[in-house]
Amino acid sequence: GIGVYATLIASSLALKEALNALGWGSSPVALGVAYAQKVQRFFDTDSTIEASTDGEKASDGPFSVRFDHVSYRYGGSDEFAIRDLSLAIAPGEKIAIVGENGAGKTTLTKLLLRFSVFQSVRDADGGTVQINGRPIADYDVSALRGRIGIAFQQSRLYALSVRENMTAYADADDARLKSCLEEVGLRLSLDAQVTKEFDENGAVLSGGDAQRLCLTRLLHSDFGLLILDEPSSALDPIAEYRIAKLIFDRSPTTTIMVAHRLSTVVDADRIYLLSDGRIIESGTHAELMAQNGKYREMFLKQAEGYLKA
């Protein structure tokens, strides 16, 4: 009677809890298997881009860059991320790429690096991307990337010392490294560890300070081209503007900066506004404001937001 009924209820509840526990336990396992399969596909995929090591070597000095009617779409997509885009950047020129999310800004910079399998980007579907008047496919890809300094929004720090993180691209003496730290507003010992994985006394950096430290890699090295894709987005607007001005003012290197905060790129030699993979406006900040177009509308909306805050 009642005893049997109570036993069945208790047993069913226990079975339910066991099944729930099994479900929760199997979820991480399935996720781990999915990640492992992606890693395996990556190593099993041959990249013709990464293998192109017998091309030209990029020359010293600032690069000239040209996009000549370039179109690009990601694999499996019918929509173009970049559509018949043309622009020319002179050696030493500082330009900014702005626009709403999905406009094609980051795709533009990845095409210059010829990212392939891992970043899901390959060479352009149409047109040519040129550096110093030659298609980038003519260059030794590894040597070319060695002449391009990059800083993306996602900071890449290593479980190493501040000095070792700063010299990830090229070596420099301690005096120069300390000067770079001062320029970006960091007070760190060169021997300090930037994580606690191997040193319990290691520094734990905020997102903004991690971005500052990553940017120091570009300040003491010699590149033909700098690509900066929102590298200081974790900073407040004033600090971000100061970092952008530091890069624009001190470096003779050709520079491409992607930004969402338009206030950070007002000093750029030329600003390109992208929409749906196309350039819809271009000019200096003053010229674009005078056009009373989309750029002016976006700039004023952002400024209004800061005033209200």
Side-chain angles (χ1 to χ4, degrees):
I2 294 176
V4 174
Y5 178 74
T7 301
L8 288 173
I9 294 296
S11 299
S12 64
L13 290 175
L15 178 61
K16 178 183 177 182
E17 291 179 0
L19 291 174
N20 283 339
L22 179 62
W24 283 108
S26 62
S27 180
V29 173
L31 189 61
V33 170
Y35 282 142
Q37 289 173 340
K38 288 183 179 181
V39 172
Q40 186 63 48
R41 285 198 300 271
F42 169 72
F43 283 108
D44 288 343
T45 302
D46 292 327
S47 171
T48 56
I49 290 178
E50 307 300 329
S52 57
T53 59
D54 57 351
E56 297 290 326
K57 306 297 182 183
S59 60
D60 294 334
F63 289 171
S64 68
V65 177
R66 184 179 185 86
F67 287 80
D68 188 13
H69 296 284
V70 172
S71 295
Y72 178 83
R73 59 184 173 187
Y74 289 89
S77 174
D78 294 330
E79 296 294 325
F80 279 91
I82 298 293
R83 302 166 183 267
D84 194 30
L85 185 145
S86 295
L87 67 85
I89 308 170
E93 190 175 12
K94 311 294 190 295
I95 70 116
I97 307 292
V98 301
E100 297 175 347
N101 289 333
K105 305 184 299 297
T106 297
T107 300
L108 200 68
T109 61
K110 288 181 177 179
L111 285 172
L112 279 167
L113 294 167
R114 300 189 73 197
F115 281 159
S116 55
V117 178
F118 187 63
Q119 295 289 354
S120 299
V121 176
R122 58 189 187 281
D123 286 327
D125 291 312
T128 59
V129 181
Q130 301 174 15
I131 287 180
N132 294 338
R134 299 185 67 110
I136 57 172
D138 290 352
Y139 289 98
D140 175 324
V141 66
S142 179
L144 178 65
R145 290 174 182 166
R147 295 277 293 122
I148 300 177
I150 60 173
F152 289 137
Q153 182 177 6
Q154 190 68 34
S155 305
R156 300 296 184 187
L157 293 179
Y158 307 105
L160 300 169
S161 68
V162 170
R163 178 189 290 103
E164 289 167 317
N165 271 280
M166 293 179 70
T167 55
Y169 291 149
D171 290 331
D173 59 48
D174 285 3
R176 183 72 192 96
L177 296 179
K178 290 177 181 178
S179 176
C180 290
L181 288 174
E182 291 177 3
E183 287 181 296
V184 299
L186 284 178
R187 296 182 179 180
L188 294 172
S189 166
L190 293 177
D191 294 320
Q193 298 293 309
V194 299
T195 69
K196 291 183 177 291
E197 276 99 337
F198 306 111
D199 185 348
E200 62 180 16
N201 297 316
V204 178
L205 301 183
S206 66
D209 284 349
Q211 287 186 331
R212 292 175 196 261
L213 184 57
C214 287
L215 282 169
T216 62
R217 298 167 180 165
L218 309 181
L219 299 180
H220 65 80
S221 304
D222 180 29
F223 297 103
L225 173 66
L226 295 180
I227 297 177
L228 310 169
D229 193 344
E230 298 190 77
S232 52
S233 59
L235 302 177
D236 63 78
I238 294 176
E240 186 177 29
Y241 170 76
R242 289 173 177 168
I243 291 293
K245 188 169 178 58
L246 168 67
I247 294 170
F248 282 155
D249 287 351
R250 73 175 299 281
S251 174
T253 306
T254 307
T255 303
I256 299 174
M257 179 174 286
V258 174
H260 271 108
R261 287 181 187 152
L262 303 185
S263 58
T264 65
V265 298
V266 295
D267 294 322
D269 296 324
R270 181 163 290 271
I271 301 168
Y272 293 90
L273 174 60
L274 266 62
S275 178
D276 197 25
R278 294 187 175 95
I279 296 172
I280 60 172
E281 295 178 18
S282 66
T284 64
H285 171 72
E287 291 169 347
L288 290 171
M289 293 297 287
Q291 290 178 20
N292 290 317
K294 182 68 174 178
Y295 176 88
R296 178 185 175 88
E297 177 187 350
M298 293 171 61
F299 186 87
L300 293 179
K301 282 184 177 179
Q302 288 187 4
E304 181 181 303
Y306 294 136
L307 291 173
K308 287 181 179 179

